[in-house]
Amino acid sequence: MEIEEKLAKTDGILQYENEIILQIFHEDGLLILARGLGLERIFCEMLKLYCAEHNLVFILGCTDVEQNYFIEQLIYQGIDPPPRVITADISVHERKDLYLQGGLFFVTARILTVDFLTDRMPIDLITGLLVYRAHRITDSSPESFIIRLYRDKNKTGFIKGFTDSALDFSRGYNQLDCVMKNLFLRHVYLYPRFQVTVRSTFENCSPDVIELQVPLTVLMMDIQISLTELINACLQELRSSTTWLDNDMLTVDQAILSSFERLIHVQLQPIWNQISIRTKQLLNDIKTLRLFVLYLTQYDCVTFYNAVQAVFINEKMYGSRGKNVYSSQGTTGSWLYLPAAERLLVAAKCRVFGEIAKKQIQQAKDKEEPAKLEENPKLKLVSDVLQEIRENEDNKVLGPPVTLIVCAEDRACSQLKQYLLLGGRVMLERLLEQTLNPPTTNEVEVKKPVEKKAKKTRTTNETKEETTDETSNRDEKLDIEGIEGGYVIEDDDGSTCPSTTILYPFSGNIDNHFVLGKILLKYRPRFVILYDASLTFVRQLEVFKATNPTHPLRIYFLLYGKSIEEQRYLLSVKKEKEAFENLVREKASMVIPEEREGRDEYNPLLSRDPTPANQQAYGTGAASTIDPTDTRHGGLIPMKPISNLRPKVIVDMREFRSELPSLIWKRGIDIEPVTLEVGDYILTPEICIERKSVSDLIGSLNNGRLYQQALQMTRFYKKPMLLIEFDQKQAFHLANKQKHNSSSEFSAHDVTSKLALLTMHFPKLRILWCPSPYASAELFEDLKRDREEPDSKNAMLVTAESELLDEDERYNSIVQDLLIRMPGITFKNYKLIMNKVENLRGLTRLTEDELTSIMGNSKQASLLYNFIHKRKDELVVDIKSKTASNSTWKKRR
């Protein structure tokens, strides 16, 4: 009852939060909570329960922002000692001392993996692991490797997972079971918004919600219809251009969601080099049209017109010329020539210039007719709501109101701020003036400080007069520590009740919900205006009201009626509900073995035996104990007794950010982490491997770093190797096949050309191509079979300044590199010359016959002799004559 008493004494814990904490404290499991219901609050309470010196608990999966948030919350609540953060700046001995002191530790996966492998802490004395963002755990992730190492040596400690992303469990096959298997958990706790305890908690104290549906203007409705037709046309063409996509995803309802691009990318990534240019162009067109849908409801008419006009101007000026079809941005498609695109452009013009948009804009400027400049209806509604809040009678009793306005992006917040400070007409006229007459750089620098100090007397939709009166509105930055972005507008004009308006975006940063929580706690607004719909923030407001039942809270929910914005919000609610319903059904039918938690001594999930299944019919290594006279072997293949000595691989410390060390360890190969200056993996005393991902390979080839790495490996190891490792989710192809089909020439800047040059300079270098980290781990096992084990001490001694380890390498390396690059010198004959000739001066004194006798090849000797003794102009004449003779021979042939 000790935990129950602690929770009872804690203020602000809701009923469902108390239930979740008790369940997951007494029984290890995976918590899947609906987004916005306060996962960070529950996780913070769990940290408080384990924050004691007699516990040793490690926290995985948190970002830097989340770490700072949890530490600040615990310090604010008086928890001593607070969790410590382990970084690379802390030395090994200091880390050992901190581990022995106990407590909570935020630590990166790389550091903790190395400490586990080197036994720098007593793993069997660890109290447990808390895994945040548990939906990201995969079979080969660094966090999964840590959990496997921990459970292999600690059978009594706890493992608890936390996540609020139910949608991630609906993607892929059997995702929930895979995550639970990697976490070694048998229980899962599902808490959607419609769960009984959650629903009853919010029904008792719900905020006052006023939903205001704003009708779209006639021109905005025309634009929305045109955009819907264009998206539908692109989707239809996409269905006919590729068969790799699921047709259920190629609908307008799916295309307007923010997750559409990510889902399409996941399906097409493995065959991205095989799909046509037309398919890539259509995907880019859908992305552009989705942006137009967002701009229509979020921004003003001038900004929307500029965005649409820019696409049409780009197509008109350049067309298909100068477009790079291989770029990530793609090109503009044929939708620009559809009738709906023409209606889109005309309607966007009419919102800015009125009916005169059908004529030439220059004619309208000559007649000096005023532009229409249609205001965004939602902007006008925000101004009206703020006026209603200032005139609220409760302000006399409760004091000046504090209003929080939440937008989707920071740009929308900035535009809304300008609207409230300047008025709709003035703001649009300034934007139009900047569009027709773009200011120079000097003008922008002069106007910036004036714009920040702009002040007004009323926030209505009429034209305002700017004043410098100290009692007028003031635009300031948020003064909350650690918060960037957002605005605070102080309104005190003397005629109405003074008010404070806060503007902040809820997207653009995955950690913005922490910031919004801080704003709610500090400013405690009585009114909240949701300029853009956000399911997560709506639930945050519910939690805020439930924890502060006496605080008056009114929410104005602004939506465009019968719009794509409303449809997108309803679809997000529907998809999360369907995801939880699928999880509930999967949990009911899930069969979980008793040994899932890995607490028994011989657990199959912790087995590191790479022996095939037909050789493990009687258990690990049991084939060696079977009576040879027994004929009932079935498919069992006789095998040798398993040795207690496992093979070993020396791994560089920096490589623990990748998946490969985890997969090597699972194949029964021990890992010894050290700091290597030459190579990434030492398999044997002779084999050194430098691992490169595709992106790292391109960067190393461009900056010349790979050349230096190959040079060092070839000097110090007899069998240097370059491992080019691809992502298993991407295509196993280094270059675009269509690009090379379109041209028969290769550029010197191509990756393949640079790799060819690298192999020509270093013939000893072997290149290994692996489609995934799993293939790399299997290849390592084959390369190590029946070979000598490496020595970590010798591997650490190999540096760029150290002496060569090969006994035959007793020459000056700089002179050796110079000699190898001379014409006629190869890796087969350069040692013959270095053994017979004392230095380069002696080489220049040799005759051609003497070089022939040393090198054993008259042609190579002639090339070297001519290179040393002939002048440049003579060599040029010889080369031209040889080229002419070769071309004549080709013509005759």
Side-chain angles (χ1 to χ4, degrees):
M1 295 297 294
E2 182 180 357
I3 301 302
E4 287 78 357
E5 293 177 358
K6 286 184 179 180
L7 295 177
K9 295 178 181 179
T10 304
D11 297 331
I13 296 182
L14 303 179
Q15 180 182 356
Y16 73 90
E17 293 176 339
N18 185 79
E19 180 180 316
I20 291 172
I21 294 171
L22 290 177
Q23 279 186 339
I24 201 168
F25 180 82
H26 292 296
E27 193 72 38
D28 291 356
L30 171 64
L31 170 63
I32 304 178
L33 189 66
R35 192 177 294 275
L37 292 185
L39 180 68
E40 63 277 1
R41 289 167 47 86
I42 297 173
F43 194 74
C44 194
E45 292 297 327
M46 294 297 300
L47 296 181
K48 289 169 59 178
L49 296 178
Y50 291 109
C51 198
E53 293 185 352
H54 63 273
N55 292 324
L56 179 57
V57 180
F58 291 96
I59 306 163
L60 306 176
C62 290
T63 63
D64 294 338
V65 176
E66 290 166 345
Q67 291 179 10
N68 296 332
Y69 174 81
F70 291 131
I71 293 175
E72 288 176 4
Q73 291 297 315
L74 293 177
I75 293 176
Y76 177 77
Q77 298 178 22
I79 301 300
D80 188 35
R84 301 179 179 90
V85 180
I86 302 297
T87 62
D89 298 333
I90 302 177
S91 64
V92 175
H93 298 290
E94 291 177 348
R95 290 207 300 268
K96 286 183 179 180
D97 296 338
L98 290 175
Y99 294 152
L100 294 176
Q101 294 176 12
L104 290 177
F105 294 94
F106 289 100
V107 60
T108 61
R110 184 184 68 87
I111 294 176
L112 192 57
T113 303
V114 172
D115 290 345
F116 275 10
L117 291 172
T118 54
D119 295 329
R120 290 173 183 166
M121 70 178 73
I123 299 180
D124 55 331
L125 299 181
I126 296 176
T127 309
L129 302 178
L130 297 176
V131 184
Y132 202 66
R133 299 182 184 271
H135 61 275
R136 298 183 176 182
I137 302 298
T138 61
D139 183 51
S140 56
S141 63
E143 290 80 8
S144 176
F145 187 25
I146 291 173
I147 296 171
R148 189 175 294 275
L149 291 172
Y150 164 72
R151 187 53 80 197
D152 186 39
K153 296 183 179 180
N154 190 320
K155 306 296 183 180
T156 58
F158 65 80
I159 301 174
K160 305 181 190 298
F162 302 83
T163 182
D164 60 352
S165 182
L167 290 175
D168 285 300
F169 291 93
S170 62
R171 304 184 181 112
Y173 175 73
N174 206 18
Q175 185 69 15
L176 177 62
D177 185 65
C178 293
V179 173
M180 295 178 64
K181 184 184 297 184
N182 293 326
L183 290 172
F184 293 90
L185 296 176
R186 297 183 63 247
H187 303 282
V188 57
Y189 305 108
L190 304 176
Y191 278 84
R193 176 61 178 82
F194 55 83
Q195 202 263 354
V196 177
T197 310
V198 178
R199 189 172 64 247
S200 62
T201 301
F202 293 133
E203 284 177 352
N204 298 331
C205 48
S206 58
D208 182 17
V209 180
I210 300 176
E211 183 176 348
L212 300 176
Q213 286 200 355
V214 191
L216 293 171
T217 64
V218 177
L219 292 175
M220 293 177 71
M221 184 63 71
D222 292 342
I223 293 174
Q224 180 175 280
I225 294 173
S226 300
L227 289 173
T228 305
E229 292 179 6
L230 293 172
I231 292 176
N232 192 27
C234 292
L235 290 174
Q236 289 180 0
E237 194 169 352
L238 188 61
R239 294 190 193 98
S240 61
S241 65
T242 180
T243 58
W244 294 97
L245 295 174
D246 187 4
N247 288 333
D248 295 338
M249 294 180 55
L250 301 180
T251 61
V252 178
D253 292 343
Q254 295 289 340
I256 62 177
L257 294 176
S258 58
S259 60
F260 177 76
E261 296 174 10
R262 184 160 61 96
L263 296 177
I264 292 293
H265 185 67
V266 168
Q267 292 192 15
L268 293 181
Q269 197 174 26
I271 45 93
W272 186 256
N273 63 303
Q274 301 177 19
I275 63 177
S276 63
I277 298 174
R278 182 60 184 154
T279 302
K280 298 178 182 179
Q281 182 176 339
L282 288 170
L283 293 174
N284 185 73
D285 294 342
I286 296 174
K287 179 181 179 180
T288 302
L289 294 171
R290 282 186 63 255
L291 287 177
F292 288 165
V293 171
L294 295 176
Y295 289 175
L296 177 63
T297 56
Q298 287 186 2
Y299 303 131
D300 59 273
C301 60
V302 179
T303 303
F304 180 79
Y305 170 70
N306 290 336
V308 176
Q309 182 74 358
V311 176
F312 279 85
I313 291 177
N314 180 71
E315 178 68 18
K316 183 178 180 180
M317 292 181 62
Y318 301 103
S320 60
R321 304 189 310 273
K323 292 180 179 179
N324 185 7
V325 295
Y326 308 105
S327 66
S328 59
Q329 300 297 327
T331 61
T332 308
S334 59
W335 64 269
L336 289 169
Y337 305 101
L338 297 177
E342 183 65 23
R343 296 199 306 270
L344 169 65
L345 181 60
V346 171
K349 280 185 179 181
C350 288
R351 292 186 67 201
V352 179
F353 301 101
E355 293 298 326
I356 63 172
K358 299 179 181 179
K359 307 176 183 178
Q360 294 293 333
I361 297 178
Q362 186 62 38
Q363 296 177 2
K365 290 176 65 178
D366 296 340
K367 295 180 181 180
E368 296 183 357
E369 296 182 10
K372 180 180 179 180
L373 295 177
E374 180 182 78
E375 291 188 13
N376 193 322
K378 194 183 283 189
L379 288 172
K380 182 178 179 181
L381 183 60
V382 170
S383 180
D384 296 338
V385 170
L386 288 175
Q387 185 65 26
E388 176 186 333
I389 290 173
R390 284 192 291 269
E391 296 174 355
N392 195 317
E393 296 181 356
D394 295 339
N395 295 339
K396 299 178 182 179
V397 179
L398 300 176
V402 177
T403 305
L404 173 62
I405 304 177
V406 181
C407 303
E409 299 176 353
D410 186 68
R411 184 176 178 181
C413 287
S414 177
Q415 186 177 96
L416 183 56
K417 178 202 69 172
Q418 295 295 329
Y419 182 88
L420 296 176
L421 293 177
L422 303 175
R425 186 71 186 183
V426 175
M427 180 192 72
L428 294 176
E429 286 178 351
R430 288 188 177 184
L431 290 174
L432 182 59
E433 179 66 22
Q434 294 175 3
T435 301
L436 299 178
N437 302 307
T440 61
T441 306
N442 296 332
E443 292 176 353
V444 173
E445 292 177 355
V446 171
K447 288 183 178 180
K448 276 186 177 180
V450 177
E451 183 181 353
K452 286 187 177 181
K453 297 181 180 180
K455 303 172 184 180
K456 63 183 179 61
T457 56
R458 292 183 181 273
T459 55
T460 62
N461 60 329
E462 301 174 355
T463 305
K464 281 81 174 178
E465 295 182 0
E466 297 184 9
T467 178
T468 56
D469 187 5
E470 294 181 356
T471 61
S472 60
N473 284 9
R474 298 188 306 274
D475 170 28
E476 301 175 354
K477 289 290 183 180
L478 281 175
D479 58 350
I480 301 179
E481 184 179 356
I483 294 181
E484 296 181 357
Y487 307 93
V488 177
I489 301 177
E490 299 287 350
D491 183 12
D492 187 7
D493 57 4
S495 60
T496 59
C497 181
S499 62
T500 301
T501 303
I502 305 169
L503 296 90
Y504 201 83
F506 60 77
S507 65
N509 189 334
I510 60 174
D511 303 304
N512 271 17
H513 62 283
F514 290 134
V515 177
L516 289 170
K518 292 181 180 179
I519 294 175
L520 290 175
L521 292 176
K522 177 174 182 178
Y523 286 94
R524 299 181 67 84
R526 300 209 318 266
F527 303 94
V528 177
I529 300 176
L530 294 179
Y531 184 80
D532 293 300
S534 171
L535 179 62
T536 302
F537 187 61
V538 168
R539 291 174 178 168
Q540 275 189 276
L541 293 174
E542 288 183 316
V543 173
F544 175 73
K545 176 61 179 178
T547 53
N548 301 273
T550 60
H551 179 74
L553 180 63
R554 178 179 296 178
I555 303 173
Y556 291 91
F557 203 113
L558 309 187
L559 276 176
Y560 283 107
K562 299 180 181 179
S563 66
I564 295 181
E565 180 191 32
E566 180 184 15
Q567 185 180 1
R568 191 190 309 115
Y569 175 75
L570 296 177
L571 280 174
S572 63
V573 178
K574 179 182 177 182
K575 289 180 74 68
E576 188 191 62
K577 182 180 179 182
E578 291 177 349
F580 269 108
E581 289 175 349
N582 293 334
L583 288 175
V584 171
R585 287 192 292 268
E586 186 176 354
K587 178 184 177 182
S589 59
M590 188 183 298
V591 178
I592 302 177
E594 293 183 358
E595 64 272 9
R596 168 64 62 82
E597 293 187 348
R599 297 182 184 274
D600 49 342
E601 190 65 27
Y602 301 101
N603 191 284
L605 294 177
L606 295 172
S607 175
R608 299 176 58 195
D609 189 359
T611 308
N614 65 334
Q615 298 183 17
Q616 295 183 359
Y618 296 93
T620 303
S624 60
T625 62
I626 296 177
D627 186 2
T629 61
D630 188 3
T631 59
R632 297 183 178 181
H633 292 332
L636 193 64
I637 300 175
M639 58 181 287
K640 298 179 181 179
I642 298 178
S643 175
N644 293 328
L645 299 177
R646 292 185 179 273
K648 180 180 67 174
V649 170
I650 299 174
V651 183
D652 185 37
M653 293 280 193
R654 294 174 289 271
E655 279 297 304
F656 285 94
R657 298 185 180 94
S658 64
E659 301 176 351
L660 187 54
S662 170
L663 300 176
I664 293 175
W665 188 86
K666 289 177 66 176
R667 297 193 70 87
I669 302 175
D670 288 338
I671 294 176
E672 186 172 354
V674 298
T675 301
L676 298 177
E677 290 194 21
V678 178
D680 293 329
Y681 297 87
I682 309 299
L683 272 61
T684 69
E686 298 180 349
I687 299 178
C688 174
I689 295 180
E690 179 73 27
R691 188 191 71 88
K692 296 289 183 183
S693 61
V694 176
S695 59
D696 192 16
L697 173 69
I698 296 173
S700 299
L701 286 172
N702 291 335
N703 57 25
R705 184 168 176 266
L706 184 57
Y707 176 84
Q708 297 296 331
Q709 293 172 336
L711 181 63
Q712 294 174 6
M713 286 195 299
T714 53
R715 284 179 179 174
F716 298 110
Y717 292 95
K718 293 183 178 180
K719 297 179 180 179
M721 299 182 184
L722 173 64
L723 170 64
I724 302 176
E725 185 179 86
F726 289 75
D727 190 350
Q728 58 184 346
K729 298 179 182 178
Q730 296 180 352
F732 186 40
H733 205 282
L734 190 60
N736 195 329
K737 178 174 60 177
Q738 298 169 352
K739 181 177 180 181
H740 293 309
N741 289 343
S742 61
S743 176
S744 59
E745 296 182 359
F746 283 85
S747 171
H749 300 287
D750 289 336
V751 178
T752 51
S753 301
K754 293 180 179 180
L755 277 178
L757 290 174
L758 186 70
T759 55
M760 291 172 61
H761 280 288
F762 304 101
K764 291 173 57 179
L765 183 66
R766 298 291 180 262
I767 299 182
L768 309 177
W769 301 83
C770 290
S772 68
Y774 294 89
S776 302
E778 185 176 357
L779 182 61
F780 280 18
E781 184 182 3
D782 294 338
L783 290 174
K784 282 192 61 62
R785 186 170 290 118
D786 299 330
R787 295 181 185 269
E788 186 181 354
E789 297 298 331
D791 187 2
S792 59
K793 294 182 179 180
N794 294 334
M796 293 175 65
L797 292 176
V798 178
T799 61
E801 292 79 15
S802 61
E803 297 181 357
L804 300 176
L805 300 182
D806 195 343
E807 295 180 358
D808 296 334
E809 301 286 355
R810 54 182 181 273
Y811 307 109
N812 189 331
S813 59
I814 299 177
V815 179
Q816 178 179 331
D817 293 339
L818 177 62
L819 179 64
I820 291 176
R821 281 156 181 76
M822 291 184 180
I825 301 297
T826 65
F827 275 87
K828 295 181 179 180
N829 59 22
Y830 81 97
K831 286 188 177 181
L832 297 176
I833 295 177
M834 299 188 76
N835 290 333
K836 297 293 181 65
V837 184
E838 183 177 358
N839 50 34
L840 290 176
R841 179 179 296 178
L843 181 65
T844 59
R845 295 174 179 174
L846 296 177
T847 63
E848 186 173 350
D849 295 335
E850 292 175 340
L851 287 175
T852 303
S853 62
I854 294 175
M855 300 173 65
N857 189 307
S858 60
K859 184 177 180 180
Q860 293 176 350
S862 177
L863 287 174
L864 180 61
Y865 182 82
N866 292 335
F867 173 76
I868 296 174
H869 295 280
K870 283 192 175 184
R871 293 184 301 177
K872 179 181 177 181
D873 52 353
E874 296 177 354
L875 289 174
V876 172
V877 172
D878 292 343
I879 293 174
K880 288 183 178 180
S881 62
K882 290 181 181 179
T883 305
S885 61
N886 291 337
S887 61
T888 305
W889 179 80
K890 290 181 180 179
K891 290 179 181 178
R892 291 176 180 176
R893 183 179 179 184

